[in-house]
Amino acid sequence: MSAHTARAYVAGAHRLIGFLGEHLGGAVDLSTLGRLTSGDLRAFLAKRRSDGLGNAGAARELSAVRGFLGFAGVDLPRMQGARVKRGVPRPVAPGDIDAMVEDVSVADAEWVGLRDVAVLLLLYGCGLRVGEAMALTPATLPIGDAMLVTGKRAKTRLVPVLAPVREAVMAYVEACPWPLVRDEPLFRGAKGGALSADIVRRAVRGARGRLGLSERTTPHALRHSFATHLLGRGADLRSLQELLGHASLSSTQVYTAVDAAHLLDVYRNAHPRA
């Protein structure tokens, strides 16, 4: 599992144990876990929902509980998780992406603006996840027509690199005031440490506020835009799956719904009887 998934599962296990201590009125040990009923777990999920957890969060929490009890060798009482309606990704219009790139290029330090432009273009131009961009090292330099990216579950994939993306990354590299060591992070923060994904999110948040864009305009939405715009211009699902690094084609098929939704919007806006 990824480090994020592991942390989430550990946190879910701690929440379950803390709840059971109060719910059952005593210390929680292996024998306690072995006596759990579906009613106990429903009570736990009801408590989590009272904390503001939605269907998707409840499904993740139940998955964490299943993982923990399985690790402890306990059979999970039979119960059905909440149904999660899969949302349709919302792509960002190409013009809005251009405006965002232009906006983040203006920074107190020129190299910081070049860095933020390079990161955003990697997300949109190569379809990278934020974590994948943050994990790049100078070992990828000089960037050619393609680069090797390490994604979820340490799975690697070859990603084509467009000339504007390559030029933006190299412009940042030339301007960066910090020494770029082969196995250290490529993108640096203002004080020379590894650039945080939160800083990237903050830059996008600031740009969308200044430009009046939707709150759905996030770094990850740029990856969605990469996929949606490719599909809308004729890319096939299998190729798109490889480019995005999806383990399952079902994860990629969500973008067909996006394309269909766009067609319906065009139809409704254009047809005189719509």
Side-chain angles (χ1 to χ4, degrees), residues 13-238:
H14 280 293
R15 283 191 290 268
L16 175 66
I17 292 171
F19 169 81
L20 291 176
E22 296 181 2
H23 179 66
L24 301 177
V28 178
D29 56 18
L30 193 57
S31 63
T32 307
L33 297 177
R35 295 193 300 272
L36 287 183
T37 67
S38 56
D40 294 326
L41 294 184
R42 279 196 293 270
F44 169 64
L45 292 176
K47 170 63 171 61
R48 295 291 291 127
R49 282 185 174 280
S50 71
D51 295 335
L53 210 62
N55 279 2
R60 285 193 299 269
E61 197 79 334
L62 183 58
S63 179
V65 167
R66 284 194 176 108
F68 169 58
L69 294 180
F71 171 78
V74 174
D75 290 331
L76 182 72
R78 184 180 295 276
M79 63 181 300
Q80 188 170 351
R83 290 193 175 188
V84 180
K85 184 179 179 180
R86 195 164 195 174
V88 175
R90 300 292 180 90
V92 184
D96 290 339
I97 294 174
D98 290 340
M100 284 177 58
V101 169
E102 181 68 27
D103 185 274
V104 301
S105 69
V106 180
D108 292 337
E110 182 184 6
W111 76 272
V112 171
L114 292 171
R115 177 200 69 192
D116 291 349
V117 167
V119 171
L120 295 196
L121 289 182
L122 281 169
L123 303 185
Y124 176 60
C126 299
L128 300 194
R129 302 176 177 94
V130 180
E132 292 170 346
M134 297 301 95
L136 292 175
T137 71
T140 60
L141 303 175
I143 295 177
D145 293 334
M147 64 179 176
L148 204 61
V149 174
T150 302
K152 289 184 176 181
R153 301 177 185 87
K155 183 181 177 183
T156 59
R157 68 184 187 277
L158 196 64
V159 177
V161 181
L162 298 171
V165 179
R166 181 167 56 252
E167 290 163 5
V169 173
M170 296 314 296
Y172 154 73
V173 168
E174 291 173 9
C176 181
W178 307 102
L180 298 177
V181 182
R182 180 179 175 83
D183 294 323
E184 293 183 359
L186 173 61
F187 292 107
R188 301 301 185 88
K191 295 182 180 179
L195 179 63
S196 164
D198 286 338
I199 298 297
V200 178
R201 295 186 186 100
R202 191 182 306 166
V204 171
R205 199 158 51 237
R208 81 181 181 217
R210 290 185 290 272
L211 296 169
L213 302 179
S214 163
E215 290 188 0
R216 290 179 177 270
T217 305
T218 63
H220 201 68
L222 298 182
R223 173 174 155 89
H224 288 322
S225 304
F226 164 85
T228 307
H229 296 164
L230 279 178
L231 188 64
R233 285 158 179 77
D236 64 273
L237 277 178
R238 285 290 181 189

Side-chain angles (χ1 to χ4, degrees), residues 267-274:
Y267 171 79
R268 291 193 188 101
N269 292 330
H271 197 284
R273 294 190 180 276

